[in-house]
Amino acid sequence: IQKLRVFLPDCTLDWHSNPQIWRRERAKLRGNRGAQELFWRLQEIVADAGWFALQKKPFLPLQTPRDLWRNLPLAHPKIVPMIAALPFSVGELLQVLRLENDRQFVALVNLALLITLQSPLRRAPLSNGLAGLDLWRHGAFHPVGGAGKIAWKLLEGFEKWGGETRFSTRVVGVSRERGGWKIETTNGEFWAETVVWNGVFDPLCASHISPSERGRPHWHFPHRLEISRKSRGWSPPLGGGDVRSTEGVKNPTQWGALNVYAAIPREIVPSEIEFHAHVLGAYTRRKPFFEAGDGDDVFLSISAPDETQSAPAGFATLNISTHVRQGDWLGLSRLEYREKKRIWRQKLLDCAAIALPELREKKLFALCGTPSTWENYTLRSGVGGPPLSRRNANLRAQSVRTQFPNFYRVGDGVFPGQGTVACVLSGWNAWREISNL
C-alpha cells in the first residue's frame, strides 16, 4: 500500500511512500512552508534513529542491571536523535517552529498521531510521535483475507511448537498456587508455571488497588486477580460503569472505538483511494491545537479489489472507525443506547461520504459497533492501548514484568506501545525475560 488519501475540510492530499510525490503533496498545506519542511526533515531523522533502535531490540524501562546489559547495543551514534527527542512532546516542537497556527498542517499531524499513538500532538512524546508519522514513508501492507489472517498464522506457529489453544474459554480468575498459577475459566481450571497476559491490566485491576497505592510509579496487584464475567442478556453499555478511571496513574484512560462495517459495490470507490483514507469532517474550536477524535474524523479501510475472501467479486467491505470517549457511553438505558448508536452510525456514514460520495445511496448494509460491542467481543474496555505520553512511554513505560513471579504481560499496554512491530517486540522481550536471556 503506497499511500493514504487524507481529506481535510479545505484540502485533499496523498500521504505517499514516494518521497518526491509526498513532498509535492504536503506543499498543498498552507502556512509556514519553510518550518513545515524543517519539521518533516526532523521527523525523518528521528524516525530513522527509531528504526535503527528497534533492530537492536531495546528492553525498557530500565529496572535491573540485566536491562542495562540488554540495551548495550543501543550505544551507537545513530541513536542520538531519538535520545535527544525524549524530553519533548510533538506539540512543543510545533511551538518552537511556530507551526501551531498552521491549521491544515496541525490537523494532518493530529490525525496521524491519533491513529498511531492514540494521543494528540500536545501530549504525544516527540520520539514516539515522529516515529508514528513515519508509517506511510515506508508504505503499509494488507494481508490477503484481512488482519485476521495474521492471527491464524500465529496460531499455526504456536500449535506447531506444542501450544494448545482453547476457544470459547474466558479467564475469570488467576491466583497463586503450588509455586505457579491457577487459571479459572468458564471451561474449568488449569495450572501453569508461567502466565503471559495479552491484555491491558488497568481497567481490569484498578478497583483492586488501594487508594494509597494508586499514585505509585507502577501497578500493584492483589494476591488474586478477579475478572468479572458479563451476564447473559441485556446489560448497560460498558457494564453500566464497570470501567473505572485510571487518572492519576501511569496509564491514562483509553479511548473507545465506534465502527461501521458496511458492504459496498466496488464501483463506488474512487480510483484515487487505494485501501485507506482519513477524513476530517470539520475543524473544531479547540485551542491551542486542533484535536481529532469524538467523531470529528473517520478512518476508512477498504478490502482489496482482487480479494474474494473478504467480499465477492464486484463488491468490497468497508470499515469506518472513529475514536470516542468511553464515559459518553456509560450508564445509558436501552433506549438511550439505541438512539445514541443510531445517531453515531449516521454521523460516521455522513463523514465517510466525503470520500465515497455514493455511499449513502449504494451501500448494501451497514452495521454499527460501539465501545460496548468492543468490550463484549474483545473483553477490553478500550481499544488501541493507552494513549502514549511522556508519563507512560519509553523509560517510564510499563514493563513486561509484573511484581509477581512468572507472570508477564505483552501487547500494546507495555513498552514500546501500539502497533504491530511494537507488539512483536513486547513478545520478544517477554520471551527473553522468561528464558533469562
Side-chain angles (χ1 to χ4, degrees):
I1 302 175
Q2 294 185 320
K3 66 178 182 179
L4 168 70
R5 171 144 284 211
V6 182
F7 294 83
L8 301 177
D10 50 2
C11 177
T12 301
L13 70 157
D14 289 327
W15 202 321
H16 209 285
S17 59
N18 182 296
Q20 287 78 27
I21 297 177
W22 172 225
R23 279 195 293 270
R24 184 186 68 210
E25 289 292 304
R26 68 192 187 219
K28 298 177 182 178
L29 301 173
R30 292 193 294 268
N32 188 336
R33 293 291 311 130
Q36 289 180 21
E37 283 304 310
L38 177 57
F39 175 90
W40 293 118
R41 180 57 186 144
L42 291 172
Q43 180 269 315
E44 293 177 1
I45 291 172
V46 174
D48 286 341
W51 287 113
F52 181 83
L54 281 176
Q55 294 175 20
K56 305 300 179 182
K57 301 180 179 65
F59 193 106
L60 295 175
L62 301 175
Q63 295 175 315
T64 68
R66 186 194 301 165
D67 295 344
L68 291 172
W69 176 79
R70 287 169 171 162
N71 286 299
L72 283 179
L74 294 176
H76 194 283
K78 290 185 177 181
I79 305 297
V80 172
M82 176 69 68
I83 297 175
L86 287 176
F88 307 101
S89 71
V90 177
E92 288 170 341
L93 176 60
L94 262 64
Q95 287 178 319
V96 169
L97 297 177
R98 299 192 176 185
L99 290 170
E100 66 268 27
N101 294 319
D102 288 6
R103 186 167 65 174
Q104 293 175 336
F105 174 82
V106 170
L108 177 69
V109 173
N110 252 325
L111 289 172
L113 291 178
L114 194 63
I115 288 293
T116 55
L117 270 67
Q118 318 300 321
S119 185
L121 61 83
R122 63 185 174 87
R123 290 198 301 266
L126 184 58
S127 56
N128 307 74
L130 297 186
L133 294 173
D134 208 51
L135 171 63
W136 294 102
R137 185 159 67 104
H138 300 279
F141 299 90
H142 180 86
V144 176
K149 284 294 183 179
I150 299 176
W152 285 110
K153 287 296 181 181
L154 291 172
L155 176 62
E156 290 176 9
F158 178 67
E159 294 182 339
K160 176 182 177 181
W161 292 100
E164 181 181 350
T165 306
R166 299 291 179 98
F167 289 98
S168 302
T169 301
R170 184 179 299 182
V171 175
V172 296
V174 183
S175 57
R176 292 283 291 159
E177 185 178 280
R178 304 196 315 270
W181 294 93
K182 182 175 74 171
I183 316 297
E184 300 173 55
T185 77
T186 52
N187 287 330
E189 296 181 354
F190 305 90
W191 183 89
E193 180 180 349
T194 301
V195 171
V196 179
W197 184 273
N198 181 17
V200 178
F201 274 6
D202 303 348
L204 195 67
C205 302
S207 62
H208 299 281
I209 304 171
S210 65
S212 62
E213 298 284 1
R214 289 181 182 170
R216 296 200 177 183
H218 295 279
W219 282 107
H220 292 260
F221 300 102
H223 179 67
R224 174 183 171 84
L225 306 180
E226 292 284 357
I227 301 109
S228 61
R229 282 178 284 182
K230 291 181 70 67
S231 58
R232 294 185 180 181
W234 168 258
S235 60
L238 293 181
D242 285 346
V243 180
R244 300 165 177 87
S245 172
T246 57
E247 186 176 358
V249 296
K250 295 186 67 175
N251 284 344
T253 303
Q254 288 177 259
W255 284 98
L258 195 134
N259 298 69
V260 170
Y261 302 92
I264 59 175
R266 171 64 60 181
E267 63 188 27
I268 75 169
V269 180
S271 59
E272 297 84 5
I273 297 178
E274 197 171 20
F275 291 94
H276 301 287
H278 212 155
V279 182
L280 176 63
Y283 295 115
T284 67
R285 295 187 300 272
R286 281 171 282 188
K287 298 294 183 180
F289 296 118
F290 157 79
E291 291 187 14
D294 291 331
D296 295 329
D297 67 280
V298 296
F299 190 84
L300 310 183
S301 297
I302 304 168
S303 60
D306 56 349
E307 185 186 316
T308 56
Q309 295 183 40
S310 297
F315 298 91
T317 57
L318 169 66
N319 179 16
I320 311 169
S321 62
T322 193
H323 290 69
V324 295
R325 302 185 187 278
Q326 296 186 89
D328 295 343
W329 293 83
L330 293 175
L332 302 176
S333 68
R334 184 195 294 258
L335 292 178
E336 290 171 334
Y337 174 73
R338 286 180 174 175
E339 178 63 13
K340 192 177 186 71
K341 183 176 179 179
R342 183 192 67 78
I343 292 172
W344 276 81
R345 174 184 180 274
Q346 192 58 47
K347 186 176 183 179
L348 264 64
L349 288 170
D350 290 343
C351 196
I354 296 174
L356 307 174
E358 298 180 87
L359 176 62
R360 296 185 187 93
E361 295 78 20
K362 294 191 176 182
K363 67 179 184 300
L364 289 107
F365 66 83
L367 304 175
C368 184
T370 70
S372 178
T373 312
W374 277 95
E375 185 185 20
N376 288 333
Y377 280 93
T378 68
L379 305 185
R380 289 178 57 155
S381 59
V383 297
L388 282 188
S389 71
R390 285 172 291 182
R391 296 179 58 200
N392 67 347
N394 304 315
L395 295 174
R396 296 183 176 183
Q398 294 285 356
S399 173
V400 297
R401 302 187 192 96
T402 69
Q403 72 179 61
F404 294 121
N406 299 326
F407 197 107
Y408 305 93
R409 50 193 167 189
V410 296
D412 52 19
V414 301
F415 174 81
Q418 298 90 352
T420 304
V421 175
C423 289
V424 169
L425 180 58
S426 75
W428 178 275
N429 283 336
W431 169 77
R432 282 201 286 181
E433 187 66 17
I434 293 169
S435 305
N436 292 316
L437 297 175

